[in-house]
Amino acid sequence: MSLKAIEFNQVCKQYSQSGDFVVDHVNLSINEGEFITILGSSGSGKTTLLKMINRLYEPSEGTINLFGEDIATIDPVKVRRKIGYVIQQVGLFPHMTIAQNIATVPKLLKWPQPKIKERVDELLNLVGLDPKEFKNRYPSQLSGGQQQRIGLARALAIDPKIMLLDEPFGAIDAITRLHLQDELMRLHGGLKKTFLFVTHDINEAFKLGTRVMIMNNGKVSQFDTPQSIVKNPADSFVSSLMRSSREQERFWEGLD
Amino acid sequence: MIEYALKHPDKLWKPLLQHLELLLVVMIVSLILAALLTITAMTSKPISNTMLHLFSIIYSIPSLALFALLIPITGLGKITAIVVLVIYNQYLLLRNFIAGLNDVDPSMIEAATGMGMSRMQLLFQVRVPLSTKALFSGLRLASVSTIGMATIAALINAGGLGSLLFDGLRTMNVNKILWGSLLSASLAIVTNGILIQMEKRIQNHNPS
Ligand SMILES: Nc1ncnc2c1ncn2[C@@H]1O[C@H](COP(=O)(O)OP(=O)(O)OP(=O)(O)O)[C@@H](O)[C@H]1O
Ligand SMILES: [Mg+2]
């Protein structure tokens, strides 16, 4: 039996005492080594769910365990250093070069300089940007898609066991996106790493995910393998999501 | 006026040097204190609000009154002047420092926190470098205000360009009055200019 990497027990989040549940009594259990993709309408609570895992937000109710340990009992800084996080708004530091941005966490962990340099080059190659050309630029000198790739490289820097990726490819063109999807699958490498990947692209979610989580209004509508979801959509929201994707396919076939 | 300066150069540069010395001491002490207070203020919202409120009240006391209040404790002279000017500066510095540090783009804060930076790492590696503008505007405001207010400190025997001005007023010596105003105004303009240049140099290191 594989280890439970992430568990949610009756987790709720309200931003104010009287407010609605943004995350509503969620129970989840994610094994080590899974690649979870998360789909859902805008405002359904995907980002909130991710941020509770690295304690940027605290749940209003319920508990979250990482590898069997309740994260509320661990120093948040310790929790975060073990988790790679790509934020939805990219959030590169404008006063640091690309190399410095990528080196942020290795520097916090006091890696030796040569090791940091080597790692920066390696990561830039990985996300398809030439180290010589990009290392010494500042974020403002990059396109939106290039910035997103640096955001990904920065989160991967110390090769964390858990990665939270909040729409990391939103601004990336279709071709580079396919390349990055393949790189990400390769990095995930099957056994030891656990990825949570939020996307609005159904194809991407079903291609990458070992399991797909579909969120609607703070609740998890369905959380299953792509095959099972296609075969047995759990509710009308999931069905309509599937239908919208099929309609797109038909549109393409119509153009053929 | 030029003649006066040529005849009694020491009557001009001595107060100018005194003024400069007062400015330097006051700014150094003010900055150290403000840095410590800002670091404390950044740990919690209520603490920062209380501090700002307190210093804003003190700041609203007329300087002459504050000088007078302190004379029984620290006596006449430089020490009292330094204490008063440092206290006034705290409001100008803290207000700008705290506002600037809190005004950093939230997504930057989130990224840094999410990567596991501690509060202090976040402050020094992200907040401070991203708010140089506000930090320097506080510094400039405090310097210029110190130069102006230090002239009043001549009344409690702290010396400086104020003594030139008050002497001039007492003896109706127009030369002294003119030189006193001219020198203090120039000092303020030059100091401001130097700080602007320093800020530009720092900004050039990171185009953003
Ligand atoms: N800091 C906050 N304070 C108050 N309300 C918030 C906050 N962050 C998010 N919300 C609200 O919580 C709900 C869920 O937001 P969340 O960002 O988790 O959605 P999402 O699924 O990530 O959406 P998107 O796909 O647009 O990124 C939204 O209604 C949002 O307005
Ligand atoms: Mg979101």
Side-chain angles (χ1 to χ4, degrees), chain B residues 36-49 51 94 98:
Chain B
L36 293 175
L37 290 175
T38 305
I39 290 170
T40 315
M42 291 306 288
T43 58
S44 99
K45 197 91 203 145
I47 294 182
S48 100
N49 287 342
M51 256 188 219
L94 285 181
I98 293 171

Side-chain angles (χ1 to χ4, degrees), chain A residues 11-78:
Chain A
V11 173
C12 300
K13 179 69 186 174
Q14 291 164 288
Y15 282 106
S16 64
Q17 287 272 299
S18 54
D20 292 337
F21 285 113
V22 168
V23 169
D24 192 355
H25 296 88
V26 167
N27 290 296
L28 300 170
S29 169
I30 295 169
N31 293 318
E32 186 173 25
E34 286 198 87
F35 196 137
I36 307 297
T37 51
I38 307 175
L39 276 173
S41 40
S42 186
S44 57
K46 304 179 295 293
T47 298
T48 306
L49 187 105
L50 285 195
K51 285 189 192 172
M52 286 192 289
I53 297 174
N54 61 6
R55 292 196 64 184
L56 285 174
Y57 292 149
E58 300 297 334
S60 317
E61 289 170 40
T63 55
I64 299 173
N65 292 355
L66 289 191
F67 299 107
E69 222 178 338
D70 181 352
I71 57 168
T73 64
I74 319 173
D75 174 13
V77 170
K78 282 219 183 88

Side-chain angles (χ1 to χ4, degrees), chain A residues 51 54 56 77 80-81 83 85 87 89-96 104-105 108 138 140-141 154, chain B residues 106-119 121 125-126 129-130 204-208:
Chain A
K51 285 189 192 172
N54 61 6
L56 285 174
V77 170
R80 291 171 192 144
R81 295 236 173 120
I83 301 177
Y85 178 42
I87 78 166
Q89 300 84 353
V90 190
L92 298 182
F93 305 127
H95 60 294
M96 296 184 191
T104 310
V105 182
L108 290 179
Y138 285 89
S140 60
Q141 299 163 324
R154 183 172 68 174
Chain B
S107 68
M108 239 63 88
I109 305 295
E110 193 190 307
T113 314
M115 282 190 280
M117 281 195 192
S118 67
R119 247 176 200 288
Q121 287 166 335
Q125 294 181 32
V126 179
L130 288 181
N204 280 344
H205 280 290
N206 49 81
S208 52

Side-chain angles (χ1 to χ4, degrees), chain B residues 46-86:
Chain B
I47 294 182
S48 100
N49 287 342
T50 315
M51 256 188 219
L52 281 179
H53 194 65
L54 192 76
F55 281 113
S56 79
I57 293 172
I58 299 177
Y59 189 72
S60 66
I61 304 174
S63 51
L64 206 51
L66 204 52
F67 283 131
L69 277 173
L70 271 176
I71 287 173
I73 307 166
T74 46
L76 283 171
K78 262 192 208 153
I79 300 291
T80 307
I82 292 169
V83 171
V84 169
L85 294 173
V86 166

Side-chain angles (χ1 to χ4, degrees), chain A residues 147-164:
Chain A
Q147 291 182 15
Q148 278 197 330
R149 287 190 259 170
I150 302 303
L152 177 63
R154 183 172 68 174
L156 287 168
I158 59 160
D159 207 10
K161 283 180 123 178
I162 296 180
M163 284 282 288
L164 310 175

